[in-house]
Structures are given as structure tokens and as C-alpha cells.
Amino acid sequence: VLLYFIMVTSDPIYSILYIDDEENNLTSFKSTFRRDYHIYVASSGEEGLEIMEKHNIQLVITDQRMPDMTGIEFLEQIVPLYPDCMRMIMTGYSDLEAVIQAINKGNIYRYVSKPWNREDLKITIDSALEVYNLKSQNKHLIDGLKEANQNLELKVIERTRQIEQQRLNITDSLHYARRIQKALMLPSEELEKMLPSHFILNKPKDIVSGDYYWVAHKDDSLIIAVADCTGHGVPGAFMSIMGINFLNEIVNQAGTIKANEILTELRGKLIKSLGQTGQRDEARDGMEMALCVVDAANYRLQYSGAFRPMYLLRQDELIVIKGDPMPIGIYNEDDIPFTNKEIPFREDDMIYLFTDGYVDQIGGLDRKTFKTIRLKKLLKEIHALPMEEQQKIMREEHEIWRSGSEQIDDIMVLGVRLSFN
């Protein structure tokens, strides 16, 4: 699977479907981009569906305002039929409600305003197709991981030997894996829109990490999670890719958003995917997670955790909201659901979700772990500061404590100021 990262292939010719009820717009788009991509055009949603049945389309760009079927309605129809296809919507109207609907129902990649500029649109199209390509490669990786786990007991000794032999020759592959992992997590500009006041401290032990963050918006709820997968490096990164994909699937299909139901369903999908049965000699792969659902309109949040707590800082008071003492993965024979905690919050409260890498770091004069008590003291001192300063201080404190010794685990800390006015 690792060699897949470093395969050298020529760039594929991608197929794009453009839908617009104005003939002049169809002609202009096709003549502009026909040398770069395979262009298919349709003047209605029905015609677009017929084209998609006959051809393998990687990207759909549709106008919003069409008489028989709007762009949102078209994108909503193709999501379950062609889930891998990238989707963009284009309109000349400043219709915020249409954009929100397109994001929630059509899962669009980008929103493009008319009139479009060729150079800007070309960059956006290429970006969308790069994400499509990365997702396709990610799908191959997950399929490979599932196959490997089906025969894990028979292959573990041989696979370990192979990985050790390849270890010195896969640096380029690891950097490519990092690109895929970063592509699945929200880019900074998108994260800034959802969380205007936040910081992330992300320090992988290796090039790629088993710790990850995940943020999504569904209806009126903002879902925020930080997870720590079994192991770090490549194994942890593979597990994080599975976790991110499963979380997206769960939330997109959910009717109502409950923090504990997300964790419980995620655990079931992970156990099934890894073929875990609970036998004594079986590998206990899985993840720890802190997940909260923020209802900004009603100033309430839900919290559910798998071995991870959430800290809430209100002025000088630190409130610890504990998770459940079980992981996301096989644990015991009892299928116990995760619990849901509902907490009111106030404007400018700070919440911190984090993995155990920060407090478990060995350092100091006595070569001991940093410990939770020091983390609490540090957060009380810095929680009122701007986000950039908090992140900087936490990074510096870690380096001072480590004092040049080896970092022992991945580190992920996500701080969010609950300020939505």
C-alpha cells in the first residue's frame, strides 16, 4: 500500500459536466475549457442526469437558477448516486440561503459567482479535481487496509519485516500521505469560517500523525472532535483516514445530531471494518475521542468522550467534563452506548479538546511526564489571551519541558472560544 504513494503517473484527463439553461453560457464554458478537460454540457437537470448515466463525470458545475430543476435540487439528487463526484454551484445572484442549502443538501465543494474569470475558475476547478484524485487514492488505501486486517494474524510477522526494510526508503511516500491526510481535514480558511476564534496545536511525532481534528456543520449544530488513534505515524494516519470518512458519513446521514450517538455509531463501523471479535489475542486497534456539539443559538453544548475529557474555562474557573472509560473500538463483550452530557455555556467561554500526547511528554529536571495538573494550571493562566498567543505559549512550554529529548507521542490540542455574536 505504501508504494502506491510514490507511483509516477501522467495527469488524467478529467470529465466535467456544466449545466446552465442559457445556451450562450454553455457555449462560452465549453469553448473556454475544451482543451483542458472533457466538457459535457446540459441545458437542464434532466439532461444532466442522462449524461451522468452514460459518462464517468468527475466534476459537476451547475447554475442555481434554472426553471424545471434548480442547481441545489440537481446536486441533492446526484449525491447518493455519484458520491465521489465533486460538486460546484454557480449563480449570479447574491443568495446566501441558496448557498447554505447547497452546502447542506448538495455537499458542494465551492460556490462560484457570475460572471466568472477564466484564470480564477481554472484554479478552482483544478483544486476540486485534485481533491477528487486524493479521495480516489484514499479509497484505495482504505480498501487495502481492510484487506490487510482480514488476514492480520497470518501476515503480521511478514508485514512487519517488509515495513522495516522499506522504512528508510519511504520518506517521499510519507509526505504524500500527509497531503492526503491534510486534504481530508478542513483547510484553515474553511475552519476559520466555522470557528472564527480558535487555535490548533498539532505536533506529529512522525511525518504523519494518528491524532486528528474534525469539524462539521449540520443544520444548526456545529460538531467539533479531536481524536487519538492507536499508534502514530503511518498506522495511526490510516486509522485517522477511516475515522474522518466514517464521521462524515455518519453526520451526513443523521436525522438528529447527538454527540453520544455519533460515537456509538462510529464505534460500530470501526469494529465492523477492522473485523474485531473481542478474542483475547486479537489486536485492539481503535481510537480515543473528545466530541462536542455546539448549539450557538441556545447557548448549550453536548459532550461525549471516549477516554477523553473536555475542559471548559469560564473566567478563572476550570470545569472538567469527563468522557466514558471506553474507547472507540472493541473493548469488552457488552455493547454499552456512550453517554451524552448537556452543558450550558456563556459568551467567551473557552473549551479545550486534546489528546494525551501533551500531558504524557517526558521532560523536566526529574524526567517525568508533564501531567494533567500542569496542563490545567497552564490553561488557567492563558485562557483569556488571544488564540495565537495561547498556541504559541503551549508550543513553547512543550519545548521547554522536553528540553531536546525525543517527543514520545503525537500531540493535538484544539482551543475554541465560544463567541458567536
Side-chain angles (χ1 to χ4, degrees):
V1 175
L2 291 173
L3 292 178
Y4 183 84
F5 290 130
I6 55 176
M7 291 173 60
V8 179
T9 59
S10 59
D11 291 334
I13 301 298
Y14 295 100
S15 295
I16 298 176
L17 170 61
Y18 178 61
I19 307 173
D20 197 309
D21 61 335
E22 296 185 20
E23 190 66 33
N24 290 340
N25 292 341
L26 297 177
T27 302
S28 175
F29 185 90
K30 188 169 184 178
S31 62
T32 301
F33 295 109
R34 62 185 178 83
R35 296 183 182 277
D36 302 300
Y37 321 100
H38 290 308
I39 302 296
Y40 298 91
V41 295
S43 58
S44 68
E46 292 296 334
E47 186 181 348
L49 291 173
E50 293 176 2
I51 292 174
M52 295 196 72
E53 289 180 2
K54 298 176 182 178
H55 303 282
N56 184 21
I57 303 297
Q58 285 79 45
L59 171 62
V60 172
I61 305 175
T62 177
D63 186 33
Q64 163 61 7
R65 300 291 180 124
M66 295 186 293
D68 296 326
M69 182 188 302
T70 68
I72 293 173
E73 291 170 343
F74 177 82
L75 294 179
E76 190 176 3
Q77 281 197 41
I78 69 171
V79 167
L81 299 174
Y82 309 98
D84 296 332
C85 180
M86 301 299 293
R87 296 167 290 277
M88 294 167 53
I89 196 162
M90 182 181 293
T91 180
Y93 298 87
S94 300
D95 191 347
L96 180 59
E97 181 64 27
V99 175
I100 294 173
Q101 289 185 46
I103 293 172
N104 290 339
K105 297 181 179 180
N107 294 328
I108 66 166
Y109 173 72
R110 285 289 187 275
Y111 166 76
V112 180
S113 299
K114 289 182 178 180
W116 46 265
N117 172 275
R118 184 199 183 283
E119 287 73 20
D120 292 341
L121 185 53
K122 177 71 165 56
I123 292 172
T124 302
I125 289 173
D126 287 343
S127 176
L129 293 174
E130 181 181 3
V131 172
Y132 173 87
N133 191 33
L134 291 172
K135 285 184 176 180
S136 298
Q137 295 170 14
N138 170 43
K139 189 174 182 180
H140 286 294
L141 290 173
I142 291 177
D143 290 343
L145 181 61
K146 290 179 180 178
E147 180 182 354
N149 275 280
Q150 290 173 359
N151 303 289
L152 183 60
E153 292 184 5
L154 298 176
K155 293 182 177 181
V156 64
I157 297 176
E158 177 63 17
R159 184 57 57 91
T160 302
R161 186 187 64 82
Q162 292 175 0
I163 291 176
E164 182 61 24
Q165 290 177 348
Q166 295 168 357
R167 184 175 60 83
L168 298 177
N169 301 317
I170 62 174
T171 301
D172 289 342
S173 298
L174 292 175
H175 282 291
Y176 198 74
R178 185 180 182 184
R179 285 183 58 199
I180 294 176
Q181 192 177 39
K182 289 181 67 176
L184 290 174
M185 292 191 280
L186 280 179
S188 57
E189 60 272 14
E190 297 294 329
L191 192 60
E192 197 69 31
K193 294 177 183 178
M194 291 188 178
L195 302 176
S197 184
H198 78 280
F199 77 86
I200 296 173
L201 178 61
N202 183 16
K203 288 178 62 64
K205 181 183 184 298
D206 303 310
I207 297 173
V208 288
S209 174
D211 291 3
Y212 67 92
Y213 68 86
W214 177 82
V215 181
H217 191 274
K218 179 68 178 286
D219 300 329
D220 296 325
S221 297
L222 184 64
I223 310 110
I224 310 169
V226 166
D228 183 353
C229 299
T230 301
H232 40 73
V234 174
F238 281 154
M239 191 73 71
S240 74
I241 289 171
M242 292 180 67
I244 292 170
N245 277 280
F246 284 148
L247 284 169
N248 287 330
E249 179 182 339
I250 290 167
V251 170
N252 286 337
Q253 295 177 358
T256 57
I257 300 299
K258 295 289 185 182
N260 62 322
E261 292 177 1
I262 294 174
L263 293 197
T264 301
E265 188 171 349
L266 176 60
R267 179 178 60 189
K269 287 181 177 292
L270 195 66
I271 290 173
K272 182 178 179 181
S273 178
L274 297 176
Q276 295 178 333
T277 62
Q279 296 182 8
R280 181 175 299 177
D281 58 346
E282 182 179 64
R284 296 289 177 122
D285 296 325
M287 61 185 73
E288 299 178 359
M289 182 173 289
L291 185 144
C292 68
V293 178
V294 181
D295 179 359
N298 296 304
Y299 285 86
R300 296 191 69 83
L301 62 83
Q302 304 170 39
Y303 181 74
S304 189
F307 274 134
R308 302 305 310 150
M310 178 181 74
Y311 289 173
L312 188 149
L313 268 293
R314 177 174 298 151
Q315 296 178 350
D316 293 326
E317 181 185 8
L318 187 149
I319 304 169
V320 178
I321 299 95
K322 295 182 178 180
D324 294 308
M326 55 185 177
I328 296 173
I330 202 73
Y331 186 56
N332 54 35
E333 296 180 357
D334 297 326
D335 187 15
I336 303 173
F338 288 93
T339 56
N340 200 50
K341 298 176 176 66
E342 293 198 14
I343 306 108
F345 67 85
R346 301 175 187 172
E347 190 76 11
D348 289 332
D349 280 357
M350 280 289 306
I351 59 171
Y352 297 92
L353 309 179
F354 50 91
T355 60
D356 59 7
Y358 200 95
V359 297
D360 286 349
Q361 178 62 50
I362 295 174
L365 297 176
D366 299 327
R367 312 306 299 161
K368 294 182 178 180
T369 58
F370 190 80
K371 296 186 183 301
T372 300
I373 190 171
R374 287 191 179 89
L375 177 61
K376 291 178 178 179
K377 181 176 182 294
L378 176 61
L379 294 179
K380 281 187 175 182
E381 293 172 353
I382 69 172
H383 74 278
L385 298 175
M387 297 295 102
E388 296 83 0
E389 290 188 37
Q390 291 194 45
Q391 197 255 26
K392 179 182 178 182
I393 292 172
M394 291 199 70
R395 183 180 293 274
E396 290 175 348
E397 285 294 318
H398 171 76
E399 295 299 329
I400 292 171
W401 182 261
R402 193 161 64 92
S403 300
S405 60
E406 181 184 3
Q407 182 175 328
I408 65 170
D409 198 1
D410 299 322
I411 291 173
M412 176 75 70
V413 181
L414 172 59
V416 179
R417 193 176 300 285
L418 299 173
S419 179
F420 301 100
N421 289 331

